[in-house]
Amino acid sequence: MTDPNAIQPSALDQLPDRDPEETAEWQASLDAVAREAGPHRAAYLMRRTLERAEAGGIALPKLLETDYVNTIPTAAEPGTPGDEAMEARITAWNRWNAAAMVTRGSKYGVGGHIATFASAAWLYEMGFNHFFQGKEADGSGDQLYIQGHASPGIYARAFLDGRLNEGHLDNFRQESGGNGLPSYPHPRRLPWLWEFPTVSMGLGPLSAIYQARFNRYLTNRAIKDVSASHVWAFLGDGEMDEPESTAALALAAREELDNLTFVINCNLQRLDGPVRANFKIVQELEAQFRGAGWNVIKTLWGSAWDELFQLDTTGALVRRLREVPDAQIQTYQTRDAAYIRADFFGKDPALVEMAKLLSDDKILECFHLSRGGHEARKVYAAYKAAVEHKGAPTVILAQTVKGHTLGEGFASKNANHQMKKLTVDEFKTMRDLLDLPIKDSDFADGQVPYGHPGADSPEVRYLQERRAALGGPAPARRMHALAPLPAPAEKAFASFDKGSGSQNVATTMAFVRLVKDLVRDKETGKRWVPIVPDEARTFGMESLFPSLGIYSPKGQTYEPVDRDQLMYYKEAKNGQILNEGITEAGSMADFIAASTAYATHGEAMIPFYIFYSMFGWQRTADQMWQLGDQLGRGFLVGATAGRTTLTGEGLQHADGHSPVIAATNPAALSYDPAFAYEIAVVVREGLRRMYGEAKPGEDQNVFYYLTVYNEPLPQPAKPAGLGIDEGIVKGLYRFNTAESAGVTAPANAPRIQLLGSGTAIHWALEAQRLLAEEWGVAADVWSATSWSELRRDAMEADAALLRGEERVPYVRQALQGAEGPVLAVSDYMRQVPDQIAQWVEQDWSSLGADGFGLSDTREAARRHFGVDAESIVVAALAQLAKRGEVQATAVKEAREKYGL
């Protein structure tokens, strides 16, 4: 019979044991400790042994969790180098003004968050006083990703140092009249202060990782040495539920981004209640980050706990702290000493004895107030350890109390995230707690006053001196006066004007060829940042691998399997291509960092991110809003576009709606070019607008979205005549007429205008031929390069009319005098072309690929959606029949003839 206590076979049995007798002795020793001293002692010895092995460089799996105590013990804390009393007074003023600002605004119903900054105040203040480098520091200073709900505290500090005044604070969340403050960090709304929009939870941590990585990219490519810059991301423990928050942890560790620190404010509460009510979020995060390879620092308990830990000679206190769930810790913060004695200490005889040595005041001090994130010395110790750690990013798990110093009505209450104001009496209690010189008489008419010690006070002088020593104010966004980038040689663009002759070329390939020429430009070539999510070969970009190299901070440590081929897979420390693997979110984070380098680092970079169009806006539209919020510039390229062009992949790859989503973003200039020369014109114009000489009143803080197709077709030559380039940029021009196309239609034939975009223009051209040869109808074909730009222009014209200015929309000007009705078609939903319908004077109709996609041939899919040439013919005849210009029977005849 098998002994149940015997060591069972495991994976370890596959390893050779050079000394089985010694192994048995170790195992027997462990068994003896467990028998004689208990399993807790055995576990303690094992943890300490593993820690010793790790410290000694012995390769063993790391412990994923440590005890629920501070990583840095009190005896090892270095102490803060500043004036702690002075910094406490500064923090008190900022706490007060943050709460006052939100409370004063609440009478207007604009809301705001008080409790978040109240819990995190020291996490920010310690950084501002001793760690966060300003823009005048080495490199580009530090990059700060501020937790969105903590913005009132950041405004309060800017008020104290003179960057904001009372008028600004009174306009918190009231921007329409000017001089207002956005609710959250927002560069587009307050571009001199905020660098990064962070309130869309999860995007801040993801972006911070890729920003730290892009900093290394700039340094390794010798664009700019920003090795002194450090990225700090301030996050909430509840925010870590977002999948984006932890999506790139392994990347940060793999690339050893020790220029990155996450500070997670673990107040154990999210919006509605506890983060991990029945579990422990700190331990969960520690395991997650340690498992990903991060350096983890836990700053959980304040100095009041030192006495309790000294009394814990059996380990009972540490065990109890580890087993109590978060929701119960939250409850202790609101209950009296008797309850804590019974519920926390009463569970273990050793703790019962310990509690007898503690006064009620001591118990309440520990459980109500004393958290590591509320003590300057403990936060300083954590930050110092983080910036000094090399070889891995660091996460600081700082435990706090949500609503700290706001009184019993706020602290640790589930509803405190939604509580927007304090009463006058609560403010007076807060004033006394913070020891602020604010008189009762200052509360005029029940209005809470702002507090300021004076522009020449010791507090303000100290604050400003500290910031001067660290390189200037923070947070801050630098408004660089960059010289326009020189335009690339015209040859790169003009080469597309002559067309491809008899050669079939997909517009995806045309775009890649254009970029290949542009990255060779001596002036601007190095500033291109090609970004692709592991689909470079799909888009024909593999030829860029050996010439540009794929960025890797380790270079190429292996011999590539295809080294003997011309287009081998080349990785390099100074590689230019960012090939991100299968992560559209990571690729977008790359794009955002590169597209805003002109502001973050004073270096204009030209990112283009090419992706399956279906997996761009649909999957990462939130990040594309973030891109617009952050004033990013660059080219997004939706390749293999359209609902009927990539049909073999099925409906999940069939993009019929990305231009619809793109049209909702005010910063996006969306184009659906049909021909290679149109792509060249759009890219040339984009480079001018975003990086060159801007026209008066022109917003440079835009980005371009181009859809390109994988359907190889002959590329025509650029039509001769004036205004073609202007029409391409504005969104519409006449590609040909029935006469110039050489199709035969009778004199005085009925006429129709066919508007097509992208690959759909080829169906329109075939329909033009069929209409003339088989139905005696003349059709003119127009290329609608941008439905959304036409709409934007028309809306601006409408707004001008309301101001009393006469202005005709461009689409109406372009179509003025065009005979017959208009029929628009694209490879997208009908609402894409229908964006402009109300501004077209002619009779309007449209065709599109509405509904789900399907797997089939392109021809079958187009027939299914009713957008092929024959379907266009029938729709055109139906339009003309309504007007009495063709016989109604022609529509039926055409349907039968084409099998529709």
Side-chain angles (χ1 to χ4, degrees):
M1 185 173 178
T2 303
D3 180 359
N5 296 316
I7 302 296
Q8 298 300 310
S10 71
L12 293 177
D13 293 339
Q14 299 177 42
L15 302 177
D17 189 343
R18 295 188 301 177
D19 192 340
E21 185 177 345
E22 182 183 35
T23 303
E25 289 175 358
W26 277 70
Q27 293 170 338
S29 296
L30 181 64
D31 293 341
V33 171
R35 269 194 318 272
E36 301 299 326
H40 295 304
R41 178 62 180 168
Y44 176 86
L45 290 176
M46 287 301 299
R47 286 201 303 274
R48 291 296 176 263
T49 302
L50 287 172
E51 289 170 358
R52 182 62 175 266
E54 184 178 338
I58 299 173
L60 283 173
K62 292 184 178 181
L63 287 171
L64 292 186
E65 290 185 37
T66 60
D67 288 321
Y68 201 64
V69 296
N70 296 345
T71 302
I72 303 172
T74 301
E77 291 170 4
T80 62
D83 184 332
E84 290 188 34
M86 181 66 73
E87 292 176 15
R89 291 203 297 276
I90 291 171
T91 304
W93 284 116
N94 292 337
R95 287 181 182 278
W96 177 272
N97 287 322
M101 179 196 325
V102 176
T103 297
R104 286 168 69 120
S106 67
K107 66 181 181 182
Y108 301 109
V110 296
H113 299 282
I114 299 178
T116 295
F117 179 73
S119 68
W122 271 114
L123 302 180
Y124 290 106
E125 292 300 320
M126 186 52 62
F128 284 128
N129 288 330
H130 298 286
F131 291 94
F132 303 157
Q133 299 289 316
K135 295 299 182 184
E136 302 303 324
D138 291 343
S140 302
D142 289 354
Q143 287 80 56
L144 308 180
Y145 288 77
I146 304 295
Q147 191 179 0
H149 293 144
S151 63
I154 310 305
Y155 290 139
R157 194 171 214 275
F159 169 64
L160 200 64
D161 73 6
R163 292 201 289 165
L164 296 175
N165 57 41
E166 287 194 13
H168 289 109
L169 301 194
D170 270 341
N171 282 317
F172 174 62
R173 292 194 170 194
Q174 298 174 73
E175 298 180 79
S176 60
N179 205 37
L181 300 178
S183 51
Y184 303 121
H186 207 306
R188 189 168 286 275
R189 299 305 308 162
L190 203 61
W192 61 267
L193 181 71
W194 298 118
E195 277 196 290
F196 308 108
T198 52
V199 79
S200 190
M201 291 189 178
L203 299 191
L206 179 67
S207 295
I209 290 173
Y210 281 89
Q211 181 66 57
R213 181 172 185 259
F214 191 74
N215 289 358
R216 290 280 173 85
Y217 173 89
L218 286 179
T219 301
N220 288 336
R221 289 198 55 221
I223 301 292
K224 183 179 182 180
D225 184 358
V226 294
S227 54
S229 293
H230 200 89
V231 177
W232 299 82
F234 288 84
L235 317 168
D237 48 358
E239 182 178 3
M240 301 311 292
D241 287 345
E242 290 284 4
E244 295 88 350
S245 294
T246 55
L249 297 186
L251 166 73
R254 185 169 65 243
E255 299 205 359
E256 300 178 353
L257 297 180
D258 50 27
N259 60 338
L260 171 68
T261 297
F262 276 16
V263 181
I264 303 181
N265 179 17
C266 298
N267 55 35
L268 313 185
Q269 289 181 246
R270 49 189 177 198
L271 308 187
D272 287 333
V275 179
R276 291 290 182 272
N278 293 302
F279 307 95
K280 302 189 80 63
I281 186 61
V282 169
Q283 299 300 94
E284 177 182 323
L285 292 175
E286 179 184 29
Q288 196 168 13
F289 278 87
R290 281 185 179 274
W294 285 53
N295 175 44
V296 179
I297 299 173
K298 294 197 290 192
T299 303
L300 307 180
W301 308 110
S303 56
W305 283 82
D306 289 348
E307 179 183 344
L308 275 68
F309 288 123
Q310 289 170 3
L311 293 172
D312 183 28
T313 57
T314 66
L317 176 62
V318 173
R319 290 196 300 273
R320 181 67 178 136
L321 287 173
R322 186 181 179 89
E323 70 188 21
V324 175
D326 283 352
Q328 193 63 23
I329 292 286
Q330 181 188 4
T331 298
Y332 293 150
Q333 291 165 184
T334 64
R335 297 300 180 91
D336 60 21
Y339 178 89
I340 298 170
R341 285 182 186 277
D343 194 86
F344 180 83
F345 293 97
K347 304 294 185 181
D348 188 295
L351 293 181
V352 171
E353 294 303 311
M354 178 190 293
K356 293 177 181 178
L357 304 176
L358 303 175
S359 68
D360 285 357
D361 286 344
K362 182 64 176 181
I363 289 175
L364 293 178
E365 180 187 14
C366 289
F367 283 85
H368 284 193
L369 302 173
S370 187
R371 299 292 183 272
H374 296 320
E375 293 193 11
R377 290 195 175 200
K378 297 193 180 297
V379 175
Y380 179 85
Y383 284 11
K384 187 172 186 293
V387 297
E388 292 178 352
H389 185 82
K390 300 303 177 186
T394 293
V395 59
I396 297 170
L397 303 175
Q399 188 162 262
T400 66
V401 176
K402 193 166 186 176
H404 183 59
T405 75
L406 297 180
E408 294 182 0
F410 265 83
S412 293
K413 296 299 176 65
N414 278 340
N416 62 19
H417 192 79
Q418 305 302 325
M419 297 163 70
K420 312 300 183 187
K421 59 184 178 180
L422 279 69
T423 66
V424 169
D425 287 342
E426 287 171 329
F427 266 110
K428 290 178 179 178
T429 300
M430 181 182 179
R431 171 201 61 190
D432 296 341
L433 176 65
L434 298 176
D435 194 24
L436 291 173
I438 297 173
K439 302 185 293 292
D440 285 354
S441 59
D442 293 334
F443 291 83
D445 301 322
Q447 175 85 296
V448 55
Y450 295 121
H452 199 292
D456 196 41
S457 64
E459 293 94 332
V460 173
R461 289 200 305 271
Y462 182 90
L463 182 155
Q464 294 175 341
E465 287 167 2
R466 291 305 310 138
R467 290 311 315 156
L470 289 166
R477 183 176 182 272
R478 178 66 61 83
M479 312 284 275
H480 294 277
L482 296 179
L485 292 183
E490 182 61 24
K491 179 181 178 182
F493 305 104
S495 63
F496 292 91
D497 290 353
K498 60 186 179 183
S500 65
S502 61
Q503 182 183 6
N504 289 337
V505 177
T507 52
T508 299
M509 297 299 102
F511 176 83
V512 171
R513 178 187 150 191
L514 175 62
V515 170
K516 286 169 65 177
D517 290 340
L518 293 175
V519 296
R520 295 192 189 104
D521 185 84
K522 292 182 180 179
E523 296 288 337
T524 60
K526 69 177 183 179
R527 297 192 175 275
W528 284 86
V529 183
I531 303 168
V532 61
D534 198 40
E535 288 280 7
R537 298 181 194 277
T538 300
F539 307 135
M541 291 174 59
E542 65 269 28
S543 62
L544 298 177
F545 289 168
S547 58
L548 300 184
I550 299 164
Y551 173 73
S552 170
K554 293 184 179 297
Q556 192 149 39
T557 60
Y558 60 92
E559 183 179 353
V561 67
D562 53 0
R563 182 62 182 88
D564 57 341
Q565 297 180 14
L566 181 63
M567 294 183 286
Y568 72 98
Y569 198 82
K570 177 186 175 183
E571 296 188 73
K573 189 173 182 179
N574 63 347
Q576 193 164 350
I577 301 169
L578 292 172
N579 190 314
E580 284 309 331
I582 305 173
T583 167
E584 286 83 6
S587 300
M588 269 306 302
D590 261 336
F591 187 89
I592 292 169
S595 71
T596 54
Y598 74 92
T600 308
H601 296 297
E603 296 287 344
M605 305 300 288
I606 311 171
F608 81 87
Y609 164 35
I610 187 167
F611 49 87
Y612 269 87
S613 63
M614 182 66 169
F615 306 138
W617 288 89
Q618 173 171 295
R619 184 167 290 182
T620 58
D622 195 10
Q623 287 177 285
M624 289 159 177
W625 271 99
Q626 181 189 13
L627 169 64
D629 290 344
Q630 202 166 314
L631 309 177
R633 305 171 184 174
F635 296 95
L636 296 175
V637 184
T640 59
R643 182 149 278 164
T644 70
T645 306
L646 193 68
T647 51
E649 300 284 351
L651 69 88
Q652 288 185 325
H653 285 65
D655 170 27
H657 52 282
S658 70
V660 179
I661 309 174
T664 66
N665 191 309
L669 279 61
S670 178
Y671 285 85
D672 186 25
F675 306 123
Y677 67 80
E678 293 178 353
I679 292 172
V681 170
V682 172
V683 171
R684 181 177 59 195
E685 170 64 9
L687 289 172
R688 181 208 63 78
R689 176 165 179 176
M690 295 184 291
Y691 302 98
E693 293 281 359
K695 298 174 183 177
E698 190 173 53
D699 184 7
Q700 288 189 281
N701 298 318
V702 295
F703 61 92
Y704 283 68
Y705 175 57
L706 282 72
T707 48
V708 293
Y709 298 82
N710 70 326
E711 187 170 15
L713 292 165
Q715 294 297 322
K718 186 177 180 179
L722 298 174
I724 297 297
D725 285 9
E726 179 188 25
I728 292 171
V729 171
K730 289 190 172 181
L732 182 68
Y733 69 97
R734 180 153 37 198
F735 176 72
N736 69 16
T737 63
E739 292 74 18
S740 66
V743 296
T744 303
N748 300 318
R751 187 172 290 269
I752 190 167
Q753 308 299 317
L754 301 179
L755 276 60
S757 69
T759 197
I761 203 168
H762 297 281
W763 323 330
L765 290 168
E766 175 63 10
Q768 180 187 50
R769 183 187 68 79
L770 293 174
L771 283 166
E773 294 179 359
E774 300 183 5
W775 305 99
V777 172
D780 301 337
V781 175
W782 299 68
S783 179
T785 53
S786 179
W787 306 102
S788 59
E789 284 303 291
L790 292 173
R791 176 180 176 82
R792 187 169 289 165
D793 171 81
M795 292 173 65
E796 291 172 358
D798 286 355
L801 285 174
L802 292 176
R803 298 192 300 266
E805 304 169 17
E806 280 295 330
R807 182 174 162 191
V808 179
Y810 173 78
V811 64
R812 190 169 295 166
Q813 295 177 43
L815 290 171
Q816 188 173 13
E819 298 177 36
V822 168
L823 173 60
V825 61
S826 80
D827 204 12
Y828 300 96
M829 303 167 67
R830 285 178 59 183
Q831 68 192 79
V832 173
D834 284 350
Q835 292 178 83
I836 66 168
Q838 72 185 85
W839 292 283
V840 174
E841 294 181 314
Q842 293 88 343
D843 292 342
W844 173 273
S845 63
S846 63
L847 297 174
D850 286 76
F852 288 110
L854 75 166
S855 295
D856 211 313
T857 64
R858 289 173 180 146
E859 293 75 15
R862 287 162 188 168
R863 176 57 58 92
H864 169 79
F865 286 111
V867 292
D868 60 351
E870 292 80 4
S871 298
I872 294 173
V873 169
V874 172
L877 293 174
Q879 277 288 86
L880 293 168
K882 281 184 185 178
R883 296 160 57 93
E885 296 180 19
V886 301
Q887 295 293 323
T889 55
V891 181
K892 180 180 178 182
E893 291 173 15
R895 278 201 304 266
E896 293 173 351
K897 178 174 183 175
Y898 300 133
L900 297 177

